[in-house]
């Protein structure tokens, strides 16, 4: 169901408010580059520091600005099941194509708790659900057996964004739940994940290089491994540069250098260090992006 290149789109800020003019420009960039879809209000979209009203508006504007030309999978995860349900119902009401639900963070649920959480959210809506597995941010790993059970019991749980970094775990998911779309949550692992049956990537890099990511994913979907590897290796230094500090600090800094939007963030996130700014500027120049 979810195959292709998806951008985990930033939320541009100006004077501590969402800059919807810049947001529209960013989404227009994605459309022109041939990106399949966008994910508003994910980790890259700084959902943790958006108010509930801002969260709702950012998602609604994503649907409006996409004009049916991009799939919109809204980040609606929470460590409160009730809150995740409210956010997901809103995403459904405004016309999103699906929701992305990060594993509940901080409270560290058991696998049973994870299963019950996702089942309750999925049963509360009719649109597709993408699980989001990123233990580094959520403190818990959604085990392959749990994912497979959810896919079996909840027909609208159709995909998983895998950012565990473990190809072994991803292979287990493919084995136990072959009907699910396996989506890379790591730009650097798009080729190997798609090589074992993955269907695409939810990318940070595509905020600044959407066509590069679209071309890479399209090459893998066409099983042109040589072309995909050529693209992946060429752009790997820039992929690495996007994570020299916590995401989305570097990508917002790059977007500011490229004149796309401000690098403004909300505390506790802060701007890129001066040392890393110089390094990032050199990397962007080497790709003729600035």
């Amino acid at each position: 169901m979810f195959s292709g290149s998806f951008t985990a789109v930033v939320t541009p800020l100006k004077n501590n408010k969402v800059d919807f003019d810049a947001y529209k420009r960013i989404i227009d960039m994605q459309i022109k580059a041939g990106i399949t879809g966008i994910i508003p209000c994910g980790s890259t979209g700084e959902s943790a520091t958006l108010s509930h009203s801002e969260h709702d508006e950012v998602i609604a504007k994503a649907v409006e600005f996409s004009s049916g030309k991009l799939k919109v999978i809204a980040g609606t995860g929470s460590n409160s099941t009730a809150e995740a349900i409210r956010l997901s119902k809103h995403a459904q009401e405004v016309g999103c194509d699906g929701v992305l639900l990060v594993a509940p963070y901080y409270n560290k649920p058991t696998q049973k708790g994870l299963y019950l959480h996702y089942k309750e959210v999925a049963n509360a809506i009719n649109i597709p659900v993408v699980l989001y597995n990123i233990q580094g941010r959520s403190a818990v790993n959604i085990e392959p057996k749990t994912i497979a059970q959810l896919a079996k019991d909840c027909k609208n749980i159709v995909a998983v964004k895998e950012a565990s970094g473990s190809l072994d775990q991803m292979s287990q998911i493919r084995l136990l739940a072959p009907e699910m779309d396996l989506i890379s949550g790591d730009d650097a692992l798009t080729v190997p994940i798609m090589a074992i049956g993955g269907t695409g990537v939810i990318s940070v890099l595509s905020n600044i290089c959407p066509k590069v990511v679209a071309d890479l994913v399209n090459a893998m979907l066409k099983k042109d491994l040589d072309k995909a590897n050529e693209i992946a290796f060429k752009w790997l230094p820039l992929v690495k540069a996007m994570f020299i500090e916590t995401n989305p600090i570097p990508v917002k800094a790059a977007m500011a250098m490229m004149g796309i939007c401000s690098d403004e963030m909300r505390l506790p996130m802060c701007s890129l260090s001066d040392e890393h700014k110089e390094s990032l500027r050199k990397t962007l120049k080497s790709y003729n992006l600035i």
Side-chain angles (χ1 to χ4, degrees):
M1 177 172 287
F2 293 122
S3 173
S5 50
F6 297 84
T7 299
V9 69
V10 303
T11 302
L13 300 171
K14 186 176 181 180
N15 299 323
N16 202 36
K17 294 182 179 179
V18 179
D19 183 351
F20 285 110
D21 290 336
Y23 195 46
K24 186 176 189 307
R25 290 196 302 272
I26 292 165
I27 292 174
D28 285 343
M29 247 178 78
Q30 305 300 313
I31 294 169
K32 290 174 185 176
I35 286 288
T36 308
I38 56 172
I39 288 79
C41 296
S43 307
T44 310
E46 296 178 78
S47 59
T49 50
L50 295 177
S51 69
H52 283 194
S53 61
E54 287 174 327
H55 195 287
D56 288 349
E57 188 174 11
V58 167
I59 288 173
K61 289 292 187 183
V63 175
E64 177 187 335
F65 295 156
S66 294
S67 304
K69 297 172 184 175
L70 296 170
K71 289 186 181 295
V72 178
I73 305 172
T76 58
S78 173
N79 60 349
S80 160
T81 303
E83 183 176 298
I85 289 172
R86 191 204 72 76
L87 293 170
S88 299
K89 283 183 174 179
H90 171 265
Q92 177 173 285
E93 288 166 5
V94 298
C96 288
D97 298 284
V99 295
L100 177 73
L101 298 175
V102 70
Y105 40 85
Y106 185 77
N107 39 21
K108 296 181 73 172
T110 62
Q111 292 302 302
K112 179 181 178 181
L114 287 170
Y115 171 84
L116 293 172
H117 167 81
Y118 280 118
K119 185 177 182 182
E120 190 154 335
V121 178
N123 286 343
I125 57 176
N126 298 317
I127 58 176
V129 172
V130 182
L131 309 179
Y132 181 13
N133 201 18
I134 182 164
Q135 187 172 2
R137 283 189 182 256
S138 65
V140 291
N141 182 55
I142 315 171
E143 298 293 339
K145 287 183 179 179
T146 304
I147 292 171
Q149 193 63 50
L150 284 164
K152 179 182 177 182
D153 296 346
C154 305
K155 297 308 178 187
N156 59 332
I157 295 181
V158 299
V160 57
K161 175 185 176 183
E162 250 295 333
S164 66
S166 170
L167 285 171
D168 176 71
Q169 171 159 298
M170 297 173 208
S171 297
Q172 286 293 316
I173 293 169
R174 289 285 298 136
L175 177 66
L176 297 174
E179 71 279 15
M180 289 190 79
D181 292 333
L182 174 66
I183 306 170
S184 172
D186 185 337
D187 280 293
L189 292 179
T190 302
V191 169
I193 289 173
M194 293 190 73
I196 62 168
T199 58
V201 63
I202 294 175
S203 170
V204 173
L205 181 66
S206 53
N207 279 283
I208 57 172
C209 299
K211 189 174 186 306
V212 170
V213 176
D215 288 348
L216 170 60
V217 171
N218 287 337
M220 284 303 295
L221 290 172
K222 293 175 183 176
K223 303 191 184 305
D224 189 345
L225 185 58
D226 289 340
K227 181 178 180 181
N229 275 329
E230 180 184 350
I231 297 169
F233 287 125
K234 176 182 177 181
W235 292 90
L236 184 59
L238 185 56
V239 170
K240 293 299 184 183
M242 291 299 95
F243 299 93
I244 50 176
E245 290 183 16
T246 306
N247 178 50
I249 294 172
V251 73
K252 269 202 162 179
M255 294 173 85
M257 292 175 192
M258 294 169 67
I260 299 171
C261 67
S262 165
D263 66 349
E264 184 177 331
M265 308 191 79
R266 284 180 177 164
L267 291 172
M269 303 299 279
C270 60
S271 61
L272 193 67
S273 68
D274 290 340
E275 174 191 356
H276 285 146
K277 275 184 182 177
E278 186 56 34
S279 170
L280 178 59
R281 193 180 305 277
K282 287 179 180 178
T283 302
L284 292 172
K285 283 184 177 179
S286 73
Y287 288 99
N288 296 315
L289 293 172
I290 57 173

